[in-house]
Amino acid sequence: MATTPAFTQSLLTLPVCDQTDFTVLARHCEHLADALLECTDPLLRLALCERLNTSLSLLRPTLLEPVPAHLAESLTTDSMAPENPEPATTGFAPDSEQLCDYALALSQLLACHTLPPGCTQPLRGLLNDVVSQFASLLCAPRWCNTPLGRAWIDAPGSV
């Protein structure tokens, strides 16, 4: 994703708060991590990193709360399409809280400016991958429409 100055500016000025829907915050974090990965300006990188940290910090306390009713439809699918594959069994399957904690730790580390030479770019790449996985997990469908009504996707016989 090529970022433009206007898009980057909008990432830094988009109002977010603890009332922002978690799906909006998750996608905002993903865009911030993408922009951070591509950014070459040290001051702008710091601003993006701080904004990502703020957005992740707002998102973290909401992870165990029930899904708001107004988001249920957007997190419901009619069938499990190939774009929603089962995660590979690689042994690394952190839950949303762990992914958020990893992303927070990486964003805080990158904001410190005390990394050895050569570590910043790989850590920005890792942060981007963690945030992308985190956002995908949060925005993935949780329910499937069935002839008997809405059912949890992981429930036996729901798909």
Side-chain angles (χ1 to χ4, degrees), residues 8-29:
T8 302
Q9 183 63 29
S10 71
L11 289 174
L12 296 173
T13 58
L14 178 75
V16 294
C17 68
D18 60 352
Q19 300 301 307
T20 305
D21 286 336
F22 72 90
T23 55
V24 172
L25 274 173
R27 290 301 179 206
H28 183 61
C29 289

Side-chain angles (χ1 to χ4, degrees), residues 1 11 92 112 129:
M1 171 180 118
L11 289 174
F92 182 72
C112 288
D129 291 347

Side-chain angles (χ1 to χ4, degrees), residues 133-155:
Q133 184 176 350
F134 176 57
S136 293
L137 180 65
L138 289 183
C139 296
R142 288 157 170 68
W143 299 282
C144 182
N145 288 322
T146 71
L148 300 175
R150 188 179 289 162
W152 284 102
I153 287 178
D154 62 350

